Structures are given as structure tokens and as C-alpha cells.
Amino acid sequence: MEPASKRRKGAACDPDSWTPYPVLSDEQMHAVELVDVFAAPVLDKRATSRLIGELNNRYPLTGLQHVKRVRSTKAEEGRPHSLEILLCPVSKVPNSDLGSLSIGCDGLGKPFVVKIPVRPALTRPQFELASKHWPTSFHEDKQVTDALRGESFSPAQKAQMHTYMSVALSAAQEGKALRLEAVGAVVVDPISERIVAVGHDCRGRHPLYHAVMVCIDLVAQGQGGGHYRLDTYPACRSIPTSVSELAQKPYICTGYDLYVTREPCVMCAMALVHSRIGRVFYGSTFADGALGTKYKIHTLRNLNHHFEVYKGVM
């Protein structure tokens, strides 16, 4: 779904040279799974309502309610009939013996097997693929559709994102100069467009001081809490939160955005869950990344908090 980057190696990075794409759940990204179902031509259109009622009673499409029972056919498809109707899943007929189907034959042609989608479509690409097999219902989430097309953010928003990630990249370079892992992160309040904290990898001090963990702790420090001691790392800084802002932010990173140069690991991803981050934007992927590459922590249904994730920023 993501077009190949047009940016030349070594070319200056600008907001037009990259596109952020969402990291969606496996359910939203999986291929369309199909199941075999018997269908038949409706020869007598006047019998359609009767056939639908009888089939719904005797052979309800349990678990397949997203599939329409009847579809129309086009004359150019070479079929002499204009309607086709689903009878029942092939698995429901012993030995595929159509003679055992207890439905009225008046108005029906010779049955045939058709493949239909097992699950309802969650995204427009899934819906378009499913519709090639049989008509289905689809409740579109326009936000997801726009995101998959790379159209979630306006040029002005991308320019702002570019600015934030540039700060994270500068922090990463500060860390690299100290012979630390070159990973930088920035926490932003998207409402005020104010940078709340800037951090980089500090594992020279402690093995758990990943850039994301440092940033979360810096946010907490700005709110009067925090635990890490980062005085020897001048690039790591927090901006104190005002009393009025504290009243609006019930818990650490609630409503904030995180920009990080590299995909977070499992520990950092779970820390983002517990700190109630709003959105995460990252640049490069990571072999052990937990927000898209190896795992998708943010999509796990049993978590008590979920957040949006976008990859490919700069």
C-alpha cells in the first residue's frame, strides 16, 4: 500500500519527500479469506422474496451477515439471468449432495459454487477485494481510508511534524556524540503545539534508559515527578507544566504525541501504554520493534489504553 520513496539517496529531506502511514492491526491488514458457498441463478425474479425468506429460515448465513444474500449480474457477463442467490455453505451439505437441500426449486437454476469473504471488511482495500467475489456490506472509517492513502495530514501538519522530528534527530546526534545509541525522541502537546520534553538514549547511565523511557520520565519531571537523573545529558530536557495544564492532563502523557527516530521496543511500547500517550510517530523500523515490525502492542485488544501509530516520518 505504501509507494516506493522517490527521495534520492543523500537528497535533502523535506516534508514532501516522505509520507506517514498508519500501523494498523493484523485484522485490518490481513488478506481476504474466502469460503465456498452454494449459489444458484434466480430464474423467476418474482420468486426472489420467497426464496430469501425460505433460505433465511432454513439456512441462515450464521457469521456471514456481512454478505448480501442476492447479487445482480450484468448482461455482458454472459449470464442469461439477472440475479443469483446464496443457498448455504458447502460445508453444511453432506458429501456436497445438493439433493439434500430442502428448498423450493421453483424459480431456481442449476446450483454452482462461489467463494465469499469470511469476515466483514475493515478497510477499503479489503472491501474492494471482497466485492470482486460477492457483494458485502461495509461501514467505512474515513480516517483509516485517508491514512492508508497517505492523506491523513495536511501540508501544514506535515511541516509541523517535520519540525518535531528534526528536534528528535538533533537529540539523537547529541547522544551519538556521547557514544550512545543514536535514538532521539520528543514529546509534544498537539493542542498548544508545544514541545514538552526532548530526550535521547542514555544507556551509558542505566540499561533501561532508552530514549522513549527518558522522554516519559522527563514529562513526569515537568509535572513535579520523575525519577531519572539526567543532569549530565544537557540535550535531555523537560518544560515544566503549568498548574492549568496539569488540571487538564489527568495522567503523564495523556493527549500528547511522541516523535521518535526509531520504532520503540516492547518495554518502551508498554511504557507508552501506561503513560497514556495519544499518538506515536516514528522514523525508521527496528528488527525488534513493538509498534509494527515484530509486534503491534498498540493493537492488542485486552490493553486498557490504545493509541495511534504512524511510521515513515522523515
Side-chain angles (χ1 to χ4, degrees):
M1 295 179 183
E2 299 176 24
S5 174
K6 297 180 180 179
R7 178 159 50 106
R8 300 187 308 275
K9 183 176 181 180
C13 185
D14 60 76
D16 293 328
S17 67
W18 52 266
T19 300
Y21 285 95
V23 179
L24 303 178
S25 66
D26 290 339
E27 289 80 6
Q28 290 172 299
M29 300 301 292
H30 68 60
V32 177
E33 185 179 349
L34 305 172
V35 64
D36 290 337
V37 175
F38 283 120
V42 177
L43 303 180
D44 185 356
K45 294 174 63 175
R46 294 171 297 180
T48 302
S49 295
R50 172 182 63 81
L51 290 167
I52 290 176
E54 188 171 351
L55 286 166
N56 284 341
N57 287 330
R58 298 186 180 182
Y59 300 102
L61 297 178
T62 305
L64 298 171
Q65 290 86 349
H66 57 283
V67 180
K68 297 182 179 180
R69 193 105 209 189
V70 177
R71 74 175 176 184
S72 60
T73 58
K74 299 178 182 179
E76 57 266 25
E77 292 177 348
R79 297 187 180 96
H81 45 274
S82 59
L83 296 175
E84 294 175 340
I85 190 169
L86 294 178
L87 304 181
C88 72
V90 171
S91 60
K92 298 292 184 181
V93 180
N95 301 318
S96 299
D97 180 15
L98 291 175
S100 64
L101 286 175
S102 56
I103 58 172
C105 295
D106 293 343
L108 280 181
K110 184 179 179 180
F112 60 93
V113 175
V114 66
K115 293 183 180 296
I116 66 171
V118 173
R119 302 181 184 86
L122 300 177
T123 64
R124 176 154 289 278
Q126 288 179 340
F127 171 65
E128 291 173 350
L129 288 172
S131 297
K132 292 180 180 180
H133 298 276
W134 195 272
T136 67
S137 60
F138 176 50
H139 303 288
E140 183 172 22
D141 185 331
K142 285 291 293 179
Q143 184 177 351
V144 172
T145 298
D146 290 343
L148 287 171
R149 291 172 176 168
E151 300 173 354
S152 289
F153 305 99
S154 67
Q157 289 173 318
K158 284 187 63 180
Q160 194 68 60
M161 294 161 63
H162 188 96
T163 298
Y164 297 141
M165 188 60 85
S166 293
V167 175
L169 284 166
S170 295
Q173 291 302 314
E174 293 279 353
K176 183 179 180 181
L178 297 173
R179 296 185 178 181
L180 300 168
E181 191 81 16
V183 182
V186 172
V187 175
V188 176
D189 182 345
I191 303 300
S192 64
E193 298 184 348
R194 182 175 68 94
I195 291 178
V196 178
V198 180
H200 59 67
D201 181 273
C202 295
R203 277 177 282 177
R205 175 68 62 84
H206 192 285
L208 299 184
Y209 284 14
H210 293 205
V212 172
M213 302 292 289
V214 166
C215 256
I216 293 173
D217 194 78
L218 287 169
V219 173
Q221 289 183 31
Q223 297 173 357
H227 175 73
Y228 297 175
R229 295 294 173 260
L230 304 167
D231 298 339
T232 56
Y233 301 113
C236 298
R237 59 192 185 277
S238 65
I239 292 82
T241 304
S242 66
V243 175
S244 60
E245 287 177 317
L246 276 174
Q248 298 172 3
K249 305 290 183 191
Y251 189 76
I252 309 182
C253 295
T254 300
Y256 286 161
D257 292 340
L258 171 77
Y259 291 81
V260 59
T261 58
R262 189 177 71 186
E263 180 184 356
C265 65
V266 172
M267 177 184 70
C268 292
M270 284 306 301
L272 291 168
V273 171
H274 292 305
S275 63
R276 303 295 191 271
I277 198 73
R279 296 182 297 182
V280 174
F281 301 86
Y282 67 82
S284 62
T285 57
F286 176 45
D288 290 323
L291 296 182
T293 302
K294 191 170 185 178
Y295 307 104
K296 295 181 179 179
I297 296 293
H298 62 296
T299 69
L300 297 180
R301 294 182 180 180
N302 59 345
L303 295 180
N304 60 1
H305 175 72
H306 296 87
F307 50 87
E308 297 177 19
V309 176
Y310 294 86
K311 64 180 180 179
V313 179
M314 295 179 64

